[in-house]
Amino acid sequence: MKVETSVIATGDALITRTLPSGGYPGFPEIQKIISRYDVRFSNLETTVHRQEGYPAAFSGGTWTMADPAILDDLKGQFGFNLYNTANNHSLDYEIAGLLATIRHLEERNMPFAGTGRNLGEAGAPTYLEAPQARVAMIGVSASFYPSWIAGNSRIDMVGRPGLNPLRSTTSYYLAEEQFGQVKALAEKFALRPGASRPGSENQVRFAGTVFHLGTENMVKSEPHKKDMERILGNIKDARRQADYVLVSLHAHAPERGDNSEPASYLKTFARACIDAGAIAVLGHGPHVMRPIELYNGGVIFYSLGNFIFQPDTESHQPADAFENASLHPHALVGEYMDHRAGDGSRSAFTNQEVWRAVMAGFNLVDGKITQVQLYPITLGMELPRSRIGWPSLLGDNAALEYMAELCNRYGTKVRIENAVAYIDL
């Protein structure tokens, strides 16, 4: 007898408004699709509290804060039952805001992963008891400020609350001619003889960056060794305790400036997660779609794009935001948002890829993924600020055709039927 479990994953839920009473046009169709699946995931890309934390000196782009009532909408109305909290907004309101978010989630029995009161908690899997399987999920963020990293506890010292990090190292290689030019510049501007050399004739330090002599100009990024070992260890242990392991990966870094393509270290890491026992990597972060890769029996969704995107209806922003925008001391949040949007030409408003995405469902049968389903959604790019950002089904195949083009880079075949795309394994 086959044992089947189904999963649906969505991208970034940067939600700042409560759901309208009775929903909104297009909501029932979204709700119906989500309800078909046993495991229902979204990335919670906001802190959740009522000014229970202090604004950090730096935000993840916008200082995000939503009323705890939005959690009731995500759980009770949309129907999600699994959440990632590790992302570049996790500590927009410092540790107090993070701990308040954790408390509001725990009070509602909403399983989440990626943040915690110390690194042990932040890196630990959360478990969901699905009807026919136990599913574990580990939350990871590759986008954050260094002070946001959770710290380990000791027998004589508490750990530091924060997120579960994936750091990276980047190496820069130059062909011989360009290497010689940089080396000459480094020597010219060195504060003291030899200051430009990190210890090898094949390396040179200039403007705070080490360049290596190579056969061509290239940038190579790799996952931080200790971070990856720690995360892979948690995946392997979670696999002992669960039927399936999911990894939620929040990451912005593009490859050579192409935001539709993940940086090379993210690909290395995601594939290592599958090798360690994860069945799927659920990617989000760049606010646009990235390819889907079939790898070693697992599926890697490098980015599903946005699911809810409402950054311009934040109810509050700290003084830093207004000061950075050079607005007068008595300006209010609506005026700040007008200023930030400019004349409407800001890329977030004009790039249609920000406002269309996919929800990804997949079926798990006896330990294997048998099929992936992709449902195209639009977030209402044409709507006013007051109503933009809620998902509805997209009435055409444009998003699916675009995703199919992205997937083709990885040899992933996508077929489209009746406004749904399928990937057969």
Side-chain angles (χ1 to χ4, degrees), residues 124-177:
T126 189
Y127 292 92
L128 180 67
E129 308 297 338
Q132 297 193 82
R134 191 178 199 223
V135 179
M137 190 190 75
I138 292 168
V140 180
S141 182
S143 301
F144 50 83
Y145 292 101
S147 61
W148 294 12
I149 296 173
N152 275 315
S153 299
R154 285 175 42 90
I155 59 172
D156 58 351
M157 177 64 73
V158 297
R160 179 179 58 255
L163 56 75
N164 186 25
L166 174 67
R167 289 167 286 187
S168 64
T169 58
T170 303
S171 301
Y172 299 87
Y173 294 85
L174 296 175
E176 185 173 0
E177 180 180 356

Side-chain angles (χ1 to χ4, degrees), residues 31-97:
Q31 185 185 49
K32 183 178 180 180
I33 290 173
I34 294 172
S35 69
R36 296 174 190 163
Y37 292 82
D38 302 315
V39 181
R40 305 178 290 275
F41 165 86
S42 195
N43 171 52
L44 180 63
E45 195 166 15
T46 183
T47 63
V48 182
H49 53 97
R50 298 185 182 96
Q51 298 194 51
E52 296 168 64
Y54 296 98
F58 300 97
S59 74
T62 298
W63 281 265
T64 63
M65 176 177 58
D67 189 281
I70 63 101
L71 296 179
D72 301 318
D73 288 338
L74 291 173
K75 179 181 179 180
Q77 299 299 315
F78 282 102
F80 293 114
N81 57 14
L82 194 59
Y83 306 86
N84 172 70
T85 54
N87 52 62
N88 58 298
H89 291 286
S90 299
L91 281 94
D92 279 350
Y93 286 85
E94 296 190 331
I95 288 175

Side-chain angles (χ1 to χ4, degrees), residues 106-121:
E106 290 178 341
E107 286 174 350
R108 290 165 173 78
N109 296 315
M110 297 171 70
F112 68 93
T115 57
R117 298 168 184 86
N118 52 57
L119 184 57
E121 284 190 10

Side-chain angles (χ1 to χ4, degrees), residues 49-323:
H49 53 97
R50 298 185 182 96
Q51 298 194 51
E52 296 168 64
Y54 296 98
F58 300 97
S59 74
T62 298
W63 281 265
T64 63
M65 176 177 58
D67 189 281
I70 63 101
L71 296 179
D72 301 318
D73 288 338
L74 291 173
K75 179 181 179 180
Q77 299 299 315
F78 282 102
F80 293 114
N81 57 14
L82 194 59
Y83 306 86
N84 172 70
T85 54
N87 52 62
N88 58 298
H89 291 286
S90 299
L91 281 94
D92 279 350
Y93 286 85
E94 296 190 331
I95 288 175
L98 171 69
L99 295 178
T101 301
I102 289 173
R103 175 170 54 81
H104 287 298
L105 286 161
E106 290 178 341
E107 286 174 350
R108 290 165 173 78
N109 296 315
M110 297 171 70
F112 68 93
T115 57
R117 298 168 184 86
N118 52 57
L119 184 57
E121 284 190 10
T126 189
Y127 292 92
L128 180 67
E129 308 297 338
Q132 297 193 82
R134 191 178 199 223
V135 179
M137 190 190 75
I138 292 168
V140 180
S141 182
S143 301
F144 50 83
Y145 292 101
S147 61
W148 294 12
I149 296 173
N152 275 315
S153 299
R154 285 175 42 90
I155 59 172
D156 58 351
M157 177 64 73
V158 297
R160 179 179 58 255
L163 56 75
N164 186 25
L166 174 67
R167 289 167 286 187
S168 64
T169 58
T170 303
S171 301
Y172 299 87
Y173 294 85
L174 296 175
E176 185 173 0
E177 180 180 356
Q178 286 75 26
F179 182 83
Q181 294 169 347
V182 171
K183 187 174 182 179
L185 286 170
E187 291 292 347
K188 181 177 181 180
F189 290 102
L191 297 178
R192 60 187 186 278
S196 64
R197 299 182 182 180
S200 168
E201 286 298 317
N202 294 327
Q203 297 177 353
V204 61
R205 184 186 300 276
F206 181 63
T209 300
V210 175
F211 296 90
H212 304 264
L213 178 61
T215 57
E216 60 178 327
N217 299 326
M218 63 176 292
V219 178
K220 182 179 180 181
S221 61
E222 296 177 309
H224 186 280
K225 184 178 179 180
K226 289 185 177 179
D227 284 350
M228 188 158 76
E229 289 176 350
R230 173 177 49 78
I231 295 166
L232 297 182
N234 280 332
I235 293 172
K236 293 174 182 177
D237 199 59
R239 184 64 185 87
R240 297 184 180 100
Q241 302 290 85
D243 299 292
Y244 300 103
V245 179
L246 308 174
V247 175
S248 168
L249 175 60
H250 193 82
H252 291 198
E255 183 73 7
R256 298 191 178 187
D258 179 2
N259 205 26
S260 69
E261 186 70 17
S264 56
Y265 82 94
L266 299 173
K267 291 181 276 192
T268 300
F269 172 74
R271 292 164 185 163
C273 289
I274 300 297
D275 290 336
I279 195 70
V281 175
L282 313 177
H284 36 81
H287 297 299
V288 295
M289 292 184 288
R290 285 177 173 172
I292 301 168
E293 180 179 15
L294 305 181
Y295 174 79
N296 194 21
V299 178
I300 302 169
F301 302 92
Y302 283 109
S303 176
L304 296 169
N306 289 317
F307 178 71
I308 299 171
F309 194 56
Q310 302 165 345
D312 293 331
T313 45
E314 292 281 351
S315 61
H316 296 81
Q317 288 292 279
D320 307 72
F322 294 91
E323 292 164 1

